[in-house]
Amino acid sequence: MASSKGTEKTLQKLRESVKAGNYYEAQQMYRTVARRLNKQEKYQDTIRLLHDGAILLLQHNQNGSGSDLANYMLETYKLASVSVDEVSLDRVVEILSLFPASEVGRKTFISNAFRWTKANGEYPQGDPELHDYVGTMLYNEKKYSLAEDHLLLGTQHSAELIGKLAYEWATEENVQWKGIYLARIVLQFLATKDILFGQLAYKNFISAGKQPVAGESKVRKASADEPTPFHIYADPWMNFTHLLLLTVQRDASDLFKELQSKYEGLYGSEPNFVDLVQEIGLQFFNIQKPRKQGNMMADLMANLFSGGGGAAGGSNPLLQLGAGGKSSEDLD
């Protein structure tokens, strides 16, 4: 308790110094006291001190000084092996909310925060809640590319928001097929076997604006289900994405292969899409990826001794949506 009382007195003096406009002096004093506390391994007192100082200085528009103390707080997090939990994350988010978008120190603070969550949390790619907060912040600033990177690693809310982001970004870029922005998102979710997030992104993209419909059909989402209405969109990327979402929910590698064949002319010239589709085939249907060109003799011998067999023939109810009439999709 004695150290907490001592810290409270120090905090009060430093707050008065900031309020009096002695910003540089206060910043240096915060650092000096924090250094002393860390040497004594009083890490919680250090964190409290630096969090308080960062908030106060940022509130007084002393962004450089506030950024300095904020990053010092994260250094102490790592020094003290502070675990990633609601309390420790809330401090980070509270500070982050006060940074002006133009402050260069914000980028450093975000990078350091993710390094800490990767080192001390359970998620190797960084904490999803923090990804969601940062992604949402960047989305609101219309920094779509940066926001997308974070929202892909975020929460259920992130998956919902990224569908809306994809539509707005495609609209802003005035591309011929908006659905390519949707496909890029959904395929990345499916490559990690996350059907729910893929569905949420798709749903929110579709509801974000008016989507031109070229026709109607019906599909069975499972072999035993009754047929349900299905929009055929004018945008082939939207149809491809929707069919892919339906296919991965069935034990139907033959449907997946037919889907690949039907839409290869659409995505085949984009190496990233090819890789994602192949990864989805591997994850859901155990369809091995084609080998990269290498030792042709070794590949030939492997194929000769692997047996093999063709897929059974038959119609694919998911891939015959445009059959029997005019095609609504120009894949050229």
Side-chain angles (χ1 to χ4, degrees), residues 293-329:
Q293 276 196 334
N295 189 324
M296 293 179 61
M297 183 58 70
D299 289 347
L300 178 60
M301 294 297 289
N303 290 332
L304 284 171
F305 289 103
S306 64
S315 62
N316 182 343
L318 290 180
L319 301 180
Q320 294 180 346
L321 299 178
K326 293 181 180 178
S327 173
S328 65
E329 300 169 5

Side-chain angles (χ1 to χ4, degrees), residues 26-161:
Q27 178 203 1
Q28 294 306 306
M29 186 58 71
Y30 272 111
R31 290 189 65 89
T32 299
V33 176
R35 197 178 302 116
R36 184 172 69 243
L37 290 170
N38 276 350
K39 284 183 179 179
Q40 297 169 2
E41 298 185 359
K42 296 178 179 178
Y43 299 124
Q44 288 305 313
D45 286 341
T46 306
I47 290 166
R48 184 182 174 203
L49 182 90
L50 292 171
H51 174 254
D52 183 272
I55 294 292
L56 199 57
L57 286 166
L58 287 168
Q59 287 173 337
H60 283 77
N61 299 316
Q62 300 302 302
N63 302 321
S65 297
S67 175
D68 175 64
L69 297 186
N71 282 294
Y72 197 176
M73 184 191 79
L74 290 176
E75 287 178 30
T76 305
Y77 268 18
K78 290 193 285 185
L79 185 64
S81 297
V82 173
S83 60
V84 180
D85 58 25
E86 186 176 352
V87 173
S88 57
L89 271 178
D90 280 350
R91 293 192 197 102
V92 172
V93 168
E94 184 181 7
I95 290 172
L96 194 50
S97 70
L98 295 174
F99 272 106
S102 59
E103 170 55 43
V104 294
R106 187 179 77 167
K107 181 179 179 181
T108 302
F109 182 71
I110 291 171
S111 296
N112 288 337
F114 278 113
R115 287 193 191 98
W116 160 65
T117 66
K118 290 174 185 178
N120 291 48
E122 57 181 299
Y123 299 95
Q125 293 178 303
D127 187 81
E129 294 289 345
L130 186 57
H131 276 299
D132 180 64
Y133 182 85
V134 173
T136 302
M137 176 186 74
L138 293 168
Y139 163 79
N140 289 330
E141 295 171 7
K142 297 192 179 300
K143 296 174 180 174
Y144 295 134
S145 180
L146 294 173
E148 180 183 282
D149 291 342
H150 289 286
L151 295 174
L152 281 166
L153 300 172
T155 62
Q156 185 167 313
H157 169 264
S158 305
E160 294 168 353
L161 183 60

Side-chain angles (χ1 to χ4, degrees), residues 186-202:
V186 173
L187 266 63
Q188 288 183 80
F189 282 135
L190 293 183
T192 58
K193 296 197 75 172
D194 201 329
I195 295 174
L196 174 61
F197 279 22
Q199 290 173 322
L200 290 172
Y202 177 86

